[in-house]
Amino acid sequence: MTNKSSDDQFAAGAGYVNGEFVPVSEARIPITDLGFIRSDATYDVVHVWKGQFFRLEDHIDRFLASTDKLRFKLPLDRTGLIAMLHRLVALTGLQDAYVNFTATRGSLPPGTRNPLDCTNGLYGFAIPFMWIAPYEEQPQGIRMITASAERTPMASFDQTIKNYMWGDLTAGMMEASERGAKVPVLLDRDGNVTEGPGFNIFIINDGVMMTPDTGVLHGITRRTAIELAGDLNIETVVAAVTADALNSADEIFITSTAGGIIPVTMLDDEEVGDGQAGPVASRLRALYWQAHDDPRFSTLVDTSLAEAAE
Ligand SMILES: Cc1ncc(COP(=O)(O)O)c(C=O)c1O
């Protein structure tokens, strides 16, 4: 079967469920999978931009580190996993895609509650690219609130494992929506800044860029922002960021695979700096999109794999 036209069954997205490729609307997980009923899962999201994966190997590294920490044994090795992701995107024919891959604990065999007795699952999907804030809205910046919900601490769950335990983040999103903001940022128990739903956070004060060191996912976009800032000789400090530092920041921006580097211009109804997207965030944002043309970061999707569908 050829799946290259935009009007075929994979145009809205392709799913991978334990070895099978199916249209995304038909992708199902077993209801007893502990990934579903216990959030016992890890995942990653890589994006495809203009037909190329961005930092694919880095996303795979993070995913495999997370699956190791959860003591999962995957049914595919690294090469198989990469081939699966290429094929998912190839099936859709999408040029710009949001590509999720998820490993789950799987279902408990009868008569045991031991998570280590499960056969772990592997799922994935490729769908049209998703934005925290659309590209054309980003230059104006977005509104953020400091959420009342506290971020789940590292002592309870290692937040460097990308996870679906979004109770705190979802509470923050609902609060942001009620308060007329686009996104929340969550503090930890000590009042330090952590992250938000699907993104890391940076501040700039007196020309120095800062981002929290702990209690957060090590975002691939966060890493890109730090590397790009290095190229511009901007000093970056990865350390605790207090709520006071956030409130008095000259600039704030967020980083995410789902949208890149996005300036924040309002925090809790106060303007950040002069209320315009800051110069550092704007410069880094431009460089971030330029980096998509850099062969060090980009991998062409192998579209020949679309032909291999059954
Ligand atoms: C909680 C959390 N923090 C940060 C990020 C940003 O990570 P990345 O830049 O790798 O997309 C994500 C991405 O989904 C996330 O879920």
Side-chain angles (χ1 to χ4, degrees):
M1 185 189 295
T2 305
N3 300 293
K4 283 188 174 155
S5 72
S6 58
D7 59 354
D8 69 26
Q9 54 173 335
F10 288 105
Y16 172 88
V17 180
N18 289 323
E20 304 275 330
F21 290 87
V22 292
V24 71
S25 60
E26 290 169 25
R28 303 274 183 274
I29 56 166
I31 201 164
T32 55
D33 190 321
L34 296 177
F36 175 57
I37 57 178
R38 298 276 185 273
S39 271
D40 193 349
T42 186
Y43 75 113
D44 219 288
V45 174
V46 59
H47 70 281
V48 169
W49 192 249
K50 297 186 181 160
Q52 302 194 92
F53 284 103
F54 187 66
R55 303 197 78 150
L56 177 59
E57 297 290 340
D58 296 324
H59 283 277
I60 300 282
D61 285 346
R62 182 173 67 184
F63 180 68
L64 295 179
S66 294
T67 55
D68 276 354
K69 285 181 188 167
L70 294 175
R71 299 165 70 185
F72 287 172
K73 291 187 178 50
L74 296 182
L76 295 179
D77 63 9
R78 184 183 185 99
T79 311
L81 186 58
I82 290 174
M84 181 270 273
L85 298 176
H86 275 275
R87 187 162 159 198
L88 269 180
V89 181
L91 286 169
T92 66
L94 289 168
Q95 286 295 298
D96 306 324
Y98 175 101
V99 186
N100 171 307
F101 43 120
T102 298
T104 64
R105 183 71 61 187
S107 302
L108 284 166
T112 174
R113 294 190 82 222
N114 182 354
L116 296 174
D117 289 340
C118 294
T119 301
N120 307 136
L122 185 63
Y123 304 89
F125 58 89
I127 56 174
F129 189 73
M130 226 191 273
W131 300 88
I132 289 181
Y135 186 82
E136 41 307 333
E137 273 181 29
Q138 293 182 5
Q140 291 89 64
I142 58 171
R143 300 173 78 107
M144 173 181 273
I145 57 142
T146 310
S148 319
E150 242 173 45
R151 185 75 174 122
T152 303
M154 287 289 272
S156 300
F157 187 81
D158 179 352
Q159 295 294 352
T160 65
I161 301 173
K162 196 165 156 70
N163 68 83
Y164 287 133
M165 296 173 217
W166 272 43
D168 51 357
L169 299 173
T170 303
M173 286 169 92
M174 293 190 284
E175 188 180 351
S177 153
E178 281 163 4
R179 290 171 54 189
K182 189 87 163 179
V183 291
V185 57
L186 276 67
L187 306 181
D188 67 15
R189 186 145 298 176
D190 300 321
N192 290 322
V193 174
T194 64
E195 57 190 341
F199 59 83
N200 291 110
I201 184 155
F202 285 76
I203 64 167
I204 291 143
N205 258 331
D206 298 328
V208 177
M209 194 165 98
M210 281 191 85
T211 195
D213 54 345
T214 185
V216 301
L217 183 73
H218 293 163
I220 305 296
T221 326
R222 170 181 181 264
R223 187 191 308 178
T224 309
I226 293 170
E227 289 170 4
L228 294 172
D231 294 345
L232 296 176
N233 291 320
I234 294 169
E235 186 188 343
T236 304
V237 177
V238 180
V241 175
T242 63
D244 282 350
L246 179 75
N247 290 329
S248 60
D250 300 331
E251 288 188 46
I252 300 175
F253 64 88
I254 64 171
T255 60
S256 172
T257 295
I261 294 176
I262 307 174
V264 174
T265 45
M266 293 284 287
L267 175 68
D268 296 324
D269 297 325
E270 300 285 334
E271 288 186 344
V272 178
D274 63 2
Q276 310 289 314
V280 175
S282 303
R283 183 89 186 99
L284 290 178
R285 178 170 170 267
L287 290 177
Y288 171 79
W289 289 105
Q290 279 168 29
H292 286 67
D293 297 325
D294 185 335
R296 282 179 304 153
F297 295 139
S298 294
T299 314
L300 207 56
V301 174
D302 183 353
T303 50
S304 70
L305 292 174
E307 307 293 343
E310 283 147 29

